[in-house]
Amino acid sequence: MRAGRSTVLTAPLLYNSSCWHPRIYTNGLLFRITVSGITESAFVSLLTVAILVANLMVIVTINSERYTKFIHPQPRYLVTSLACNDLAIGLLVTPLAAFSALVHCWPYSEIVCQIQALLRAALPQQNAMILVFMAVDRYTCMLHPDKYHKHSSKKGCMLVLSLTLVGSLTAFGAAVIRRGGYFYNGNGLMACEPFYQRPSLRILAACLFYFPTTMALMYFYGSALHVDRLRHRQQINICAVLVQPMLPNNAGKTTLDEASDRLASKELRQSIRTTRAMGAVALGFIVAVTPWTIQEVVTACTGTKMPPAVDFIITWIALSNSFWNPFIYWALNRKFRRISRSIIKTKIFRRKKYNSSVISSSCNVGHQESCCANRDMCFAALQKDNEDIIEVDRQSLGSQDRGGFPPTPPPPPPYHRGDIQHCHSRRY
């Protein structure tokens, strides 16, 4: 029977879908395992692991000392908040569906179902709000850079994010906390989600999640990138106040202008790269959640159900957005890729970094074979030693001009670049 918009619906009892119901438990859970259930469970498990690993890598890399100089503080807080939100989805929402997809029943308690239904609705809504704040941040940075760098702050950013999270949990908590406000979706999500008594409420929830977010993302990022295209090579001088304290007192106006222009050009390129990466993340969100929104509106209007396989694919494509966010950011940011690889090699695989001073001190005539096993490192060390010798020679010449005695020059390096040609090319 088709449900009209004024029809009041009743949530199905969770006990009827529980794995401990006599109708299900007496027959045994092993007999409920099918090929489709194994496939769905494997997909959910792999997606959960991918979400956790990808977002942990984003949080660690973007807050490392090496990467903080390539991004402004406020977008760094927003990207970190988005990654933490996606990490919470990978920890609290998607893992519970792995076992239930395998046996096609709910194996946990009712309170767990209620909590998961709340988080299933609140965390994606918070995700959408963070994307909107990121778009507003990039819009302000590109169109009004002077005001942006003057008024952006960590406290204000974290205050807005905290208020939106509390608002999302409160709004959906009012709908889920009552009995009958949640149910087990055994076709699409393979877990619990909110239940709306009226189809109009379901349509309203889907539309408020999708349409304001999509329109805001398209407007703010479209305006920011349009300004970038119109600007071409024009540089906005927003850094004169930052550059002036770093210059000597006798620097003239020309030196100040050149230094400020260089720093402004660097700031502009950095903002453009960040805007493009965040715009791609927003586009990925729109592509992922559009089929799910259409499905919610169509099923609520017609009172019908989608085929289980189609419902499963559409629902989990929308949830896979938590994995595509860090992947898109990784694919479009060269510095992020380089620093993340370095962190993986040094922190996870425990590969040691070579210190040029150690190599330089160990490069002597008696250890040519072990020293020159890596020719590039040895040449870099010798080049650094030669630069130090040149600097000492300059200091000695300056002392001679002042009538002083030059310091004793250091001994020459044991061998030069020509000697490296005779070294072995073995690798460590």
Side-chain angles (χ1 to χ4, degrees):
M1 183 180 68
R2 295 187 178 182
R5 293 191 177 183
S6 60
T7 304
V8 178
L9 304 177
T10 303
L13 295 177
L14 183 64
Y15 181 68
N16 294 333
S17 302
S18 175
C19 294
W20 315 118
H21 192 278
R23 176 177 55 84
I24 300 174
Y25 183 70
T26 54
N27 296 329
L29 297 180
L30 294 178
F31 294 98
R32 299 180 62 85
I33 298 176
T34 60
V35 176
S36 62
I38 294 174
T39 304
E40 292 172 352
S41 179
F43 175 79
V44 173
S45 301
L46 290 176
L47 181 61
T48 300
V49 173
I51 290 173
L52 295 177
V53 173
N55 287 282
L56 278 175
M57 197 68 237
V58 169
I59 295 172
V60 172
T61 303
I62 206 169
N63 292 283
S64 62
E65 294 182 358
R66 295 177 57 187
Y67 191 80
T68 52
K69 59 184 178 181
F70 299 116
I71 188 172
H72 292 116
Q74 189 156 308
R76 179 165 60 89
Y77 303 145
L78 293 173
V79 174
T80 303
S81 300
L82 182 64
C84 291
N85 195 277
D86 291 332
L87 185 66
I89 292 176
L91 284 174
L92 304 175
V93 176
T94 59
L96 300 180
F99 185 73
S100 61
L102 183 64
V103 296
H104 291 280
C105 59
W106 181 250
Y108 311 106
S109 63
E110 187 166 356
I111 186 65
V112 175
C113 179
Q114 190 175 15
I115 294 174
Q116 198 215 17
L118 172 62
L119 297 177
R120 165 69 181 92
L123 291 179
Q125 184 65 45
Q126 173 68 7
N127 218 344
M129 291 183 179
I130 294 175
L131 290 174
V132 171
F133 292 144
M134 290 169 62
V136 174
D137 175 85
R138 293 295 89 201
Y139 175 85
T140 309
C141 181
M142 297 297 293
L143 272 71
H144 308 285
D146 50 348
K147 296 181 180 179
Y148 173 80
H149 290 282
K150 185 181 298 183
H151 297 290
S152 61
S153 63
K154 176 182 177 181
K155 293 182 179 179
C157 180
M158 298 308 297
L159 177 62
V160 172
L161 293 175
S162 302
L163 291 176
T164 54
L165 179 59
V166 172
S168 299
L169 292 174
T170 304
F172 287 101
V176 173
I177 196 171
R178 59 181 176 80
R179 190 174 184 85
Y182 52 92
F183 77 109
Y184 170 72
N185 184 357
N187 293 330
L189 184 63
M190 298 296 177
C192 293
E193 61 181 6
F195 181 82
Y196 302 99
Q197 292 183 341
R198 297 180 183 274
S200 58
L201 296 177
R202 184 179 180 183
I203 297 172
L204 180 63
C207 291
L208 288 178
F209 169 73
Y210 177 76
F211 287 104
T213 305
T214 303
M215 289 187 291
L217 294 178
M218 294 178 65
Y219 172 76
F220 288 121
Y221 281 116
S223 301
L225 296 177
H226 181 65
V227 169
D228 176 39
R229 287 193 297 268
L230 293 179
R231 182 181 294 147
H232 294 291
R233 296 182 180 181
Q234 181 182 2
Q235 298 179 354
I236 301 178
N237 188 2
I238 60 174
C239 303
V241 178
L242 299 176
V243 175
Q244 189 171 4
M246 296 184 290
L247 296 176
N249 295 329
N250 57 354
K253 186 178 182 299
T254 304
T255 307
L256 177 61
D257 292 340
E258 292 177 355
S260 109
D261 288 342
R262 286 195 300 268
L263 189 54
S265 177
K266 180 180 178 182
E267 291 281 336
L268 182 59
R269 291 194 302 269
Q270 179 178 329
S271 298
I272 293 173
R273 286 194 298 265
T274 305
T275 302
R276 289 175 179 174
M278 291 184 175
V281 170
L283 180 62
F285 170 82
I286 296 173
V287 172
V289 302
T290 297
W292 178 84
T293 305
I294 296 174
Q295 173 188 267
E296 288 290 298
V297 174
V298 170
T299 54
C301 290
T302 60
T304 58
K305 291 184 178 180
M306 298 290 290
V310 177
D311 192 5
F312 178 84
I313 292 173
I314 291 177
T315 302
W316 284 95
I317 285 177
L319 287 174
S320 67
N321 178 65
S322 298
F323 165 72
W324 292 113
N325 287 339
F327 179 79
I328 293 172
Y329 196 77
W330 179 87
L332 297 180
N333 196 317
R334 180 175 56 85
K335 292 183 176 62
F336 181 85
R337 291 197 302 271
R338 176 169 53 83
I339 296 174
S340 61
R341 289 196 195 103
S342 176
I343 292 176
I344 291 174
K345 290 179 182 179
T346 57
K347 302 298 182 181
I348 298 178
F349 295 102
R350 298 294 181 180
R351 292 185 181 180
K352 297 181 179 179
K353 290 184 178 180
Y354 293 98
N355 192 346
S356 60
S357 61
V358 176
I359 297 174
S360 176
S361 61
S362 62
C363 285
N364 50 54
V365 180
H367 298 82
Q368 286 186 1
E369 183 175 351
S370 61
C371 165
C372 298
N374 192 324
R375 184 178 302 177
D376 295 334
M377 289 190 300
C378 235
F379 177 71
L382 291 175
Q383 187 178 11
K384 183 176 183 301
D385 291 339
N386 291 332
E387 291 176 356
D388 295 339
I389 293 172
I390 293 173
E391 183 65 24
V392 171
D393 291 340
R394 289 177 179 175
Q395 295 177 0
S396 64
L397 290 176
S399 62
Q400 288 180 356
D401 294 338
R402 293 190 301 269
F405 295 96
T408 304
Y415 53 86
H416 300 280
R417 186 175 182 181
D419 298 325
I420 300 179
Q421 303 294 333
H422 304 288
C423 296
H424 299 281
S425 60
R426 294 183 306 173
R427 297 181 178 178
Y428 289 110

